[in-house]
């Protein structure tokens, strides 16, 4: 039996209107301009698993994070949460409490004027998961304990904590509404590596204990490798390769995935010279025709410049690349 | 004689609550043509070390002890004007954020020629010709046309290239690069690192590369200094420090980095956090978090000791 997915994105696109003001357009005759942040993206996240999206800045991964919790409405396509359209799921408090988000910056995402216990108690009160003060405090205490803080930390303010501890507070708050699904947008990229290890371990422990489902967004491939069950590699608003994380790391197929993996400095390769990826990310306002990666791709040919590649599945990995499809990739 | 020699460098910040010692008797040296990586977590004092060397400590921070020598000449006690001549001419700097390094109101050509003409005798045409040459060397396409563009007309990666050209154009003997690739995406990061390595090799420039990214150090540096709470915990050849770290902190640091090669179930973590400057523990600063702690660590602060192919400030190596 196939398990019902926790979250499903079906051909989702999201545009931002970046046109000049109306009057200016009238005078200059300039058309409306749209930025395609997310372009025809589909994926499925099974319950209790981690789906990771990786890519460079501007590839659209944070926009997907926001779409997945309903902070943005998709311009096209559908997002389905537990067999319901996300917008209708968000309209019911009982469903809404089951999804939550952890942000990148633990300094900006906690209210500096609230005590930690109030920050963590807010979702409990908002969703009426407990009403008696004792009960609320009991829940806050056990949430703080589950992320490695103490009850006594509850009376402090966020500024009294280090970055890693603040991220623990964010996680406790995210867990307070007893969610099943967490969207984690670069949860460790503001942290030092030894603290990052603490938070990643904590997130894996919590996932195993509570059966959480994660949409995990990161630019760091090594972190993604540590966390992901399935992986999507994004480039200019498109998922260019997706499949089981192990399969992709063992044998990256898309030229962009390969270049990305090659560009990462790794401890096990001291003194190795990297092969730098040439060029830079093109503007998503005027993406190149054909395959968006063709201007930087070593395998690009005429077809890549003309025709957008479709996703082709091979060995459970989906790749959008003409070169892979035609076996020109060596 | 090493190009740069830092001995017992101490930096202090007087505050209302007493004097905070942010760097405590740091010693290291860099040879010509060598890249020394300085790695550590935020607050370990790595950027402060760089700032002290280039004479850009922010007040009220000041050098409270020790000395810094460039080519044998002391530079830590110079007056503002001779220091300014050395900075730029003998020492170049690259900072994390290229936008704050470049003046948005001047074309990059003007910034390059001005830097060169401040430090070298060059005619305007000569300076401009050299500026185009530098832009070309750091990989700015169509350098001859782009030289009259303003910083905002370049992308992030290109701006960092311009900053590198700016740091190199006076042909300094030492470059202090503080997180030069942190603001950049990995693919651009690889381009910049390759560029930095090639340029230093071609010109015999020494580099002090400050970063929190061990991966960047691994592929760029010859030697590495691992800093912890204002002290050097371990220093040695980069391969030795990464593969056989002798200090428990460097060991924990290396193990906490997720690997691309293989996946582990749990990352090894160092519990706790680095102490704040106003609460430095007695003895070894790492002892409250150290898995190998013993009596002496709590009482006596270790200096750098020989530990195989590296030097580590740890009592485990007291008799070796």
């Amino acid at each position: 039996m196939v398990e019902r997915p926790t979250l499903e994105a079906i051909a989702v696109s999201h545009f931002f209107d970046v046109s000049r003001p109306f009057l200016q357009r009238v005078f200059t005759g300039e058309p409306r301009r749209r930025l395609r942040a997310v372009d025809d993206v589909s994926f499925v996240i099974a319950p209790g698993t981690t789906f990771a999206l990786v890519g460079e800045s501007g590839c659209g991964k944070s926009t997907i994070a926001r779409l997945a919790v309903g902070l943005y409405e998709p311009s096209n396509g559908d997002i389905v949460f537990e067999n319901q359209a996300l917008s209708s799921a968000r309209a019911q408090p009982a469903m809404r409490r089951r999804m939550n988000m952890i942000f990148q910056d633990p300094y900006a995402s906690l209210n500096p004027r609230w005590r930690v216990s109030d920050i963590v108690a807010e979702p409990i009160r908002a969703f009426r998961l407990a009403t008696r003060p004792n009960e609320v405090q009991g829940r806050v205490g056990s949430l703080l304990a589950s992320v490695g803080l103490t009850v006594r930390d509850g009376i402090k303010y966020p500024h009294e904590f280090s970055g890693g501890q603040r991220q623990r507070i964010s996680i406790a708050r995210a867990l307070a509404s007893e969610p099943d699904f967490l969207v984690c947008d670069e949860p460790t990229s503001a942290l030092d590596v030894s603290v990052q290890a603490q938070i990643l371990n904590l997130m894996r422990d919590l996932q195993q204990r509570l059966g959480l489902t994660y949409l995990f967004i990161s630019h760091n491939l090594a972190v993604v490798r540590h966390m992901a069950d399935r992986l999507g590699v994004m480039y200019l608003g498109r998922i260019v390769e997706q499949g089981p994380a192990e399969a992709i790391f063992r044998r990256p197929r898309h030229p962009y995935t390969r270049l990305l993996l090659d560009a990462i400095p790794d401890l096990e390769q001291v003194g190795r010279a990297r092969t730098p990826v040439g060029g830079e990310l093109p503007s998503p306002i005027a993406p190149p025709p054909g395959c968006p990666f063709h201007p930087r791709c070593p395998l690009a040919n005429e077809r890549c410049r003309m025709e957008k590649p479709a996703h082709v599945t091979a060995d459970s990995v989906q790749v959008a690349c003409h070169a892979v499809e035609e076996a020109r990739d060596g | 004689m090493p190009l740069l020699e830092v001995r017992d460098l101490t930096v202090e910040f007087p505050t209302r609550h007493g004097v905070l010692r942010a760097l405590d008797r740091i010693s290291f040296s860099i040879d010509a043509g060598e890249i020394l990586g300085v790695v550590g977590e935020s607050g370990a004092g790595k950027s402060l070390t760089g700032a002290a060397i280039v004479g850009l400590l922010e007040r009220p921070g000041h050098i409270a002890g020790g000395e810094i020598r460039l080519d044998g000449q002391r530079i830590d006690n110079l007056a503002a004007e001779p220091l300014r001549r050395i900075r730029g001419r003998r020492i170049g700097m690259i900072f994390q954020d290229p936008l704050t390094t470049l003046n948005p109101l001047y074309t990059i050509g003007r910034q390059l020629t001005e830097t060169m003409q401040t430090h070298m005798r060059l005619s305007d045409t000569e300076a401009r010709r050299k500026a185009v040459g530098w832009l070309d060397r750091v990989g700015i396409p169509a350098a001859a046309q782009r030289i009259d563009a303003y910083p905002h007309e370049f992308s992030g990666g290109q701006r960092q290239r311009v900053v590198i050209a700016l740091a190199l154009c006076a042909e300094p003997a030492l470059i202090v690069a503080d997180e030069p690739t942190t603001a950049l995406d990995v693919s651009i990061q690889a381009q910049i690192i390759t560029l930095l390595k090639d340029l230093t090799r071609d010109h015999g420039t020494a580099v002090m590369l400050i970063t929190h990214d061990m991966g960047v150090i691994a592929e760029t540096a010859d030697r590495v200094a691992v800093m912890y709470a204002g002290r050097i915990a371990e220093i040695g050849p980069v391969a030795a420090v990464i593969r056989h770290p002798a200090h428990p902190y460097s060991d924990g640091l290396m193990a906490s980095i997720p690997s691309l090669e293989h996946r582990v179930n749990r990352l090894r973590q160092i519990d706790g956090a680095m102490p704040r400057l106003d609460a430095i523990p007695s003895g070894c600063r790492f002892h409250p978090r150290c898995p190998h702690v013993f009596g002496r660590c709590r009482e006596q602060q270790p200096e750098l000791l020989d530990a195989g192919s590296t030097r580590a400030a740890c009592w485990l190596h007291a008799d070796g």
Side-chain angles (χ1 to χ4, degrees):
Chain A
M1 195 190 94
V2 180
E3 257 185 307
R4 158 179 95 161
T6 298
L7 191 88
E8 198 174 356
I10 306 157
V12 171
S13 299
H14 191 75
F15 308 119
F16 291 102
D17 192 333
V18 290
S19 314
R20 286 178 192 280
F22 172 71
L23 264 183
Q24 255 184 48
R25 272 188 282 127
V26 170
F27 286 125
T28 58
E30 217 182 73
R32 277 189 165 283
R33 292 199 300 173
R34 292 195 306 181
L35 182 153
R36 247 169 221 267
V38 173
D39 185 9
D40 193 15
V41 161
S42 301
F43 57 85
V44 169
I45 313 179
T49 66
T50 302
F51 178 71
L53 284 174
V54 69
E56 299 180 276
S57 33
C59 72
K61 53 193 193 301
S62 289
T63 307
I64 292 192
R66 283 158 186 250
L67 287 164
V69 287
L71 290 174
Y72 292 149
E73 283 275 311
S75 311
N76 281 316
D78 295 298
I79 298 179
V80 178
F81 179 71
E82 306 254 347
N83 280 6
Q84 286 188 42
L86 184 68
S87 50
S88 79
R90 296 282 308 168
Q92 312 156 37
M95 292 296 278
R96 190 164 66 234
R97 72 156 184 82
R98 296 181 52 199
M99 57 187 97
N100 218 329
M101 189 156 175
I102 300 169
F103 297 92
Q104 171 173 1
D105 185 354
Y107 294 85
S109 55
L110 301 174
N111 188 334
R113 290 164 174 272
W114 283 22
R115 290 182 196 276
V116 167
S117 57
D118 291 324
I119 291 173
V120 177
E122 192 191 21
I124 301 174
R125 295 194 179 114
F127 289 111
R128 298 180 200 286
L129 298 174
T131 39
R132 292 209 320 278
N134 280 351
E135 214 181 327
V136 173
Q137 280 317 308
R139 281 192 181 225
V140 168
S142 60
L143 281 163
L144 289 175
S146 70
V147 297
L149 297 171
T150 62
V151 181
R152 287 183 46 81
D153 288 324
I155 58 169
K156 297 187 193 163
Y157 289 93
H159 73 89
E160 297 175 67
F161 294 90
S162 67
Q165 285 174 313
R166 284 184 210 211
Q167 204 57 309
R168 289 173 191 270
I169 298 168
S170 307
I171 294 173
R173 175 183 60 185
L175 294 175
S177 65
E178 299 178 352
D180 307 293
F181 174 57
L182 284 182
V183 174
C184 318
D185 189 3
E186 303 267 13
T188 61
S189 48
L191 307 176
D192 283 314
V193 278
S194 72
V195 181
Q196 167 174 287
Q198 295 172 8
I199 297 296
L200 294 179
N201 283 339
L202 172 66
M203 290 181 62
R204 292 258 303 247
D205 290 346
L206 291 169
Q207 180 170 44
Q208 272 157 24
R209 218 170 64 224
L210 307 172
L212 298 172
T213 308
Y214 290 139
L215 170 60
F216 190 92
I217 313 276
S218 179
H219 70 282
N220 185 329
L221 274 165
V223 167
V224 161
R225 157 137 230 198
H226 183 66
M227 295 298 290
D229 297 302
R230 289 179 63 83
L231 170 64
V233 179
M234 288 196 71
Y235 189 77
L236 218 62
R238 309 234 307 159
I239 294 184
V240 295
E241 179 162 6
Q242 73 166 307
E246 273 311 303
I248 294 179
F249 279 106
R250 210 176 323 114
R251 188 172 156 222
R253 288 177 172 81
H254 196 283
Y256 178 63
T257 315
R258 289 197 227 165
L259 289 173
L260 207 54
L261 276 167
D262 218 35
I264 307 257
D266 200 21
L267 286 193
E268 273 142 69
Q269 316 215 354
V270 178
R272 177 184 68 134
R274 280 195 264 178
T275 29
V277 192
E280 302 187 20
L281 208 66
S283 158
I285 299 174
C291 169
F293 187 58
H294 86 252
R296 301 171 78 185
C297 182
L299 304 173
N301 69 7
E302 208 41 52
R303 186 176 174 207
C304 305
R305 282 182 270 275
M306 311 288 294
E307 187 187 327
K308 213 180 233 188
H311 286 269
V312 180
T313 308
D315 302 339
S316 71
V317 177
Q318 279 184 21
V319 186
C321 174
H322 293 311
V324 172
E325 191 191 335
E326 299 164 13
R328 279 195 277 121
D329 57 332
Chain B
M1 185 175 62
L3 176 79
L4 177 80
E5 189 159 22
V6 175
R7 197 178 299 152
D8 291 330
L9 176 66
T10 301
V11 168
E12 290 180 342
F13 284 81
T15 69
R16 275 185 302 170
H17 309 292
V19 174
L20 296 181
R21 185 170 277 202
L23 288 182
D24 190 16
R25 289 175 294 118
I26 300 248
S27 301
F28 64 90
S29 63
I30 310 180
D31 288 330
E34 185 185 40
I35 302 183
L36 174 77
V38 178
V39 72
E41 302 184 75
S42 3
K46 46 191 197 310
S47 293
L48 215 53
T49 310
I53 289 168
V54 297
L56 288 176
L57 279 178
E58 258 171 61
R59 305 224 139 256
H62 61 97
I63 296 178
E67 51 184 55
I68 304 169
R69 286 175 188 273
L70 187 70
D71 266 335
Q73 186 208 348
R74 276 189 75 168
I75 57 166
D76 55 289
N77 53 2
L78 292 179
E81 189 47 31
L83 181 67
R84 199 180 66 86
R85 275 200 299 272
I86 283 184
R87 193 193 304 142
R89 180 71 188 94
R90 303 280 294 140
I91 307 179
M93 289 156 294
I94 303 171
F95 295 109
Q96 174 171 349
D97 181 2
L99 265 190
T100 54
T101 311
L102 297 170
N103 188 329
L105 299 178
Y106 292 167
T107 65
I108 56 160
R110 173 156 175 202
Q111 299 186 49
L112 280 163
T113 50
E114 199 173 278
T115 306
M116 283 187 280
Q117 287 179 318
T118 308
H119 298 293
M120 298 187 277
R121 279 174 164 275
L122 287 175
S123 70
D124 288 354
T125 30
E126 183 74 358
R128 191 177 162 89
R129 195 183 56 75
K130 279 195 148 212
V132 173
W134 276 110
L135 289 177
D136 199 39
R137 219 165 305 165
V138 297
I140 300 282
Q145 286 92 58
R146 300 283 277 161
I147 186 166
D148 293 316
Y150 289 88
H152 76 264
E153 299 175 68
F154 292 87
S155 71
Q158 285 182 329
R159 275 185 214 134
Q160 197 60 306
R161 288 164 193 270
V162 173
V163 170
I164 290 177
L166 211 50
L168 286 166
C169 67
E171 293 170 27
L174 171 72
I175 288 181
V176 176
D178 191 352
E179 304 274 7
T181 59
T182 305
L184 307 172
D185 280 317
V186 276
S187 66
I188 312 295
Q189 189 184 50
Q191 297 171 7
I192 298 289
I193 289 290
T194 313
L195 173 69
L196 202 59
K197 261 168 95 169
D198 291 349
L199 292 172
T200 51
R201 196 189 48 224
D202 298 347
H203 296 266
T205 317
V207 179
M208 178 172 162
L209 175 65
I210 300 166
T211 175
H212 69 282
D213 187 338
M214 218 36 232
V216 169
I217 299 264
E219 68 172 333
T220 317
D222 302 301
R223 285 188 307 133
V224 60
V226 180
M227 292 193 67
Y228 184 79
R231 301 263 297 169
I232 291 180
E234 181 166 4
I235 184 166
V238 70
V241 173
I242 288 174
R243 298 217 179 96
H244 311 287
H247 194 287
Y249 174 64
S250 359
D251 185 40
L253 194 63
M254 302 309 153
S256 65
I257 302 171
S259 161
L260 267 182
E261 302 290 316
H262 45 80
R263 178 170 166 161
V264 291
N265 224 343
R266 277 183 79 77
L267 295 167
R268 201 149 79 180
Q269 62 184 56
I270 313 174
D271 287 324
M274 198 163 65
R276 288 155 50 138
L277 287 178
D278 56 0
I280 297 284
S282 65
C284 171
R285 291 162 184 228
F286 187 60
H287 89 253
R289 303 173 72 189
C290 182
H292 307 291
V293 62
F294 58 100
R296 194 175 183 182
C297 310
R298 296 191 184 91
E299 284 140 30
Q300 229 179 329
Q301 178 153 282
E303 298 299 324
L304 285 171
L305 302 164
D306 279 325
S309 38
T310 74
R311 288 169 65 74
C314 174
W315 290 124
L316 289 174
H317 304 284
D319 27 77

